[in-house]
Amino acid sequence: MERLHIKQEINITEALMERINELLSHYPADKKKSALLPVLHDVQDAHDNWLSIELMDKVAEILEIKPIEVYEVVSFYTMFNQRPIGKYMFEFCQTSPCCLRGVENLMDYTCDKLGVNVGEPTADGMFEVRGVECLGACGYAPMMQLGDFFQENLTKDKIDQLIADCRDNKVILHDK
């Protein structure tokens, strides 16, 4: 991924810090790094679903680890975003079962419908299409993840309905 330097306001609120401390309480005091994944999830959720270099540095400071230890994790997992993304991220599974059931055609269809390429947010910042590795729902292929939820047995009609529902603000992204 091309590294862009985009400024992001860091806002570690009292409520977010309380949540981080609650997560840290599940691990030995000298093993704060063990909380890295859940902390990154909550910090990303609180910062428009992306993590700037400065924000990753802040997480490293809070967990008392080296910044590179945070960068390694963020750059490895597709669930962490290193730049602003579309509000509705359509993450299509691109492994064999989904490909055999036509996910690549559905990705192309979705991109054409939204006027973007894979990995580009729409001009209004509302949508983005991404291909990801196995999401573990092979029996329901083709499928994608939208927020915290799976969208299964996809068709062009289902894609059209999802896009319409997102535009009408009818889609819940997170179960929190």
Side-chain angles (χ1 to χ4, degrees):
M1 170 187 268
E2 179 183 323
R3 182 162 297 267
L4 303 172
H5 193 79
I6 302 168
K7 284 291 190 186
Q8 179 182 39
E9 182 179 337
I10 297 174
N11 188 18
I12 306 293
T13 63
E14 187 176 320
L16 179 57
M17 201 61 221
E18 284 177 19
R19 172 67 180 145
I20 291 169
N21 287 329
E22 192 272 323
L23 291 168
L24 288 171
S25 74
H26 297 271
Y27 305 96
D30 64 334
K31 303 288 185 207
K32 288 183 177 183
K33 183 179 177 180
S34 300
L36 181 56
L37 288 173
V39 167
L40 283 170
H41 279 295
D42 283 358
V43 169
Q44 179 172 266
D45 287 348
H47 288 84
D48 296 324
N49 206 25
W50 73 285
L51 300 160
S52 65
I53 293 169
E54 293 81 10
L55 190 51
M56 289 185 268
D57 290 348
K58 184 67 175 173
V59 169
E61 178 186 316
I62 291 167
L63 297 181
E64 299 174 2
I65 59 177
K66 295 177 183 169
I68 188 65
E69 295 175 273
V70 178
Y71 306 158
E72 290 169 338
V73 169
V74 169
S75 65
F76 180 79
Y77 290 106
T78 60
M79 61 195 159
F80 299 119
N81 304 301
Q82 298 176 62
R83 61 171 174 76
I85 62 164
K87 176 181 178 181
Y88 297 102
M89 173 69 77
F90 289 17
E91 295 180 292
F92 287 91
C93 176
Q94 288 190 290
T95 49
S96 298
C98 286
C99 287
L100 289 171
R101 301 284 314 267
V103 78
E104 294 162 316
N105 291 334
L106 289 173
M107 286 178 70
D108 290 342
Y109 176 80
T110 306
C111 285
D112 289 345
K113 186 119 179 127
L114 297 173
V116 296
N117 293 314
V118 171
E120 294 177 350
T122 55
D124 61 4
M126 191 167 211
F127 297 97
E128 188 165 333
V129 176
R130 180 184 288 175
V132 297
E133 292 302 317
C134 184
L135 292 168
C138 303
Y140 308 103
M143 60 89 58
M144 72 170 178
Q145 186 169 346
L146 179 57
D148 292 340
F149 304 98
F150 285 173
Q151 306 296 324
E152 302 163 335
N153 300 305
L154 292 172
T155 63
K156 289 179 181 179
D157 288 340
K158 285 184 179 182
I159 296 291
D160 291 343
Q161 189 61 57
L162 277 171
I163 291 170
D165 287 348
C166 289
R167 287 192 169 125
D168 291 340
N169 219 15
K170 294 180 181 176
V171 173
I172 296 170
L173 292 174
H174 303 289
D175 61 0
K176 296 179 190 177

